[in-house]
Amino acid sequence: MPAALINVPRKAKRGDVIEIKTLMSHIMETGYRHLASGEVVPRDIITSFSCRYNGTEIFRADLFPAIAANPFITFFTTATESGTFEFDWIGDKGFSETATASIIVE
Amino acid sequence: MPDQTTRRTFLSLAGGAAVLGVTLRPAEATPAMLSSAIRNVVGEAPVRTGKVRLDVPPLVENGNTVPMTVSVASPMTAQDYVKSIHVFNEKNPQPNIGNFYLGPRAGRAQISTRIRLADSQKVVAIAHLSDDTFWSVSVDVVVTLAACTEEVI
C-alpha cells in the first residue's frame, strides 16, 4: 500500500523560501541482491520524482538504486502565490503515485 | 589413485566455486565508471572544485540509509542559479546516485535525501550552474555495514 508523507508549511509570506519534505513508501529493490538460491531479485525502484507548484514544474529528480528505501527528498522553493503543490512518483513495474499539498501565501 | 582423485576433485570444485563467485558477485563501479558517469553529465566542460558542499557522515554504521545533504553557494536569482545537482559514488554497483533539477525559483540550492553505500568510498556531488560551469566536491565515507548487494533472507 503506497503512502506519501508531505511536509509543506501551511502558510507563508510572499517571497519566503520554504522547505518541502517528501517521503514515499517504496521498497527500492536494487536489482543487485540475490536469494540464497542465486536468483537475482529483479529491480523495482522509483525512477522519477517531480513537484509542480500551481502547474509549473519547480523540482525534478532522477532516482537510482543507490537511493535508500522509502525515498525521502527535501528541497526548497519560493512561496509566490497561494495554491497547490502536486507531487509525482514514477517507477518500475508501472508504479505511479501522486500527492498534493496546499499553501496559503499572504 | 585415491590421492590424485581427491586432489583433482578438490581443484575442479575450487575452480568451479571461483567461477561461481565471480558470476554471482555484481560488478562494482570502478573509478573509470565513475569518471565516465560524470562525463555523461558534464560532457567536455571542465569541473572545478568549490561552491558545493556535501554533508554526509564521515563514519556510517549502516550503508542502507545514509543521510545526505548537498548545498551550493549560489544567489539563486534569475541570472545566476543552480540548474542541477548530480551525485555519484565510486564503489556501488552503479555510479549514479541521483540527479536533482532545480531552478531560480528554488530560492536556496539545497537538497537532502537518504542514500545507500555498498562500501567505504568516495561520494561526489557536482553542480551545474546557469552559466554552464560545473563545480564539484568529494567526500570520503567509511561504511561498516554495506548496502545494496546483501542476500535476501
Side-chain angles (χ1 to χ4, degrees):
Chain A
M1 182 70 194
L5 279 177
I6 308 287
N7 189 331
V8 175
R10 228 153 37 85
K11 282 183 177 180
K13 286 206 191 77
R14 195 175 303 273
D16 275 1
V17 173
I18 56 167
E19 184 174 25
I20 297 175
K21 299 181 185 180
T22 68
L23 187 144
M24 168 54 76
S25 67
H26 195 283
I27 183 169
M28 293 295 280
E29 183 61 58
T30 60
Y32 294 105
R33 301 198 303 160
H34 52 83
L35 302 164
S37 59
E39 253 176 279
V40 171
V41 183
R43 192 185 88 159
D44 182 11
I45 66 165
I46 294 174
T47 50
S48 165
F49 166 74
S50 66
C51 172
R52 290 189 306 276
Y53 184 4
N54 286 343
T56 311
E57 184 178 277
I58 55 162
F59 182 83
R60 186 160 55 85
D62 303 329
L63 309 185
F64 292 87
I67 299 288
N70 305 324
F72 168 74
I73 299 170
T74 75
F75 54 96
F76 290 83
T77 195
T78 311
T80 51
E81 52 187 345
S82 299
T84 50
F85 291 98
E86 294 167 277
F87 304 90
D88 285 313
W89 293 263
I90 295 165
D92 294 337
K93 300 185 178 174
F95 184 88
S96 173
E97 285 294 322
T98 55
T100 56
S102 58
I103 186 167
I104 297 165
V105 177
E106 296 164 333
Chain B
M1 295 287 232
D3 238 24
Q4 257 184 348
T5 328
T6 320
R7 190 164 162 264
R8 189 162 297 160
T9 319
F10 169 74
L11 281 178
S12 70
L13 270 178
V19 169
L20 205 67
V22 167
T23 48
L24 282 184
R25 195 148 194 103
E28 286 181 344
T30 59
M33 278 171 74
L34 169 65
S35 55
S36 79
I38 291 174
R39 283 293 147 215
N40 275 344
V41 168
V42 305
E44 294 303 308
V47 179
R48 279 172 279 180
T49 312
K51 290 203 184 194
V52 189
R53 195 189 144 104
L54 174 59
D55 286 308
V56 61
L59 178 69
V60 176
E61 218 164 89
N62 184 348
N64 280 305
T65 44
V66 184
M68 173 198 82
T69 299
V70 184
S71 46
V72 186
S74 163
M76 295 306 271
T77 58
Q79 288 77 39
D80 184 1
Y81 61 92
V82 176
K83 279 185 178 172
S84 59
I85 293 170
H86 308 268
V87 188
F88 304 95
N89 69 79
E90 197 182 7
K91 288 184 181 167
N92 281 9
Q94 221 177 316
N96 296 80
I97 292 180
N99 302 323
F100 306 90
Y101 303 90
L102 337 169
R105 288 184 67 175
R108 186 187 303 178
Q110 181 180 327
I111 59 106
S112 300
T113 187
R114 297 182 194 137
I115 65 169
R116 289 180 172 132
L117 294 174
D119 203 345
S120 296
Q121 56 180 303
K122 194 163 76 176
V123 178
V124 181
I126 292 183
H128 182 190
L129 269 52
S130 53
D131 59 359
D132 282 326
T133 56
F134 293 89
W135 298 82
S136 80
V137 67
S138 72
V139 171
D140 286 301
V141 185
V142 175
V143 179
T144 17
L145 175 65
C148 300
T149 51
E150 81 278 27
E151 270 186 17
V152 182
I153 300 157

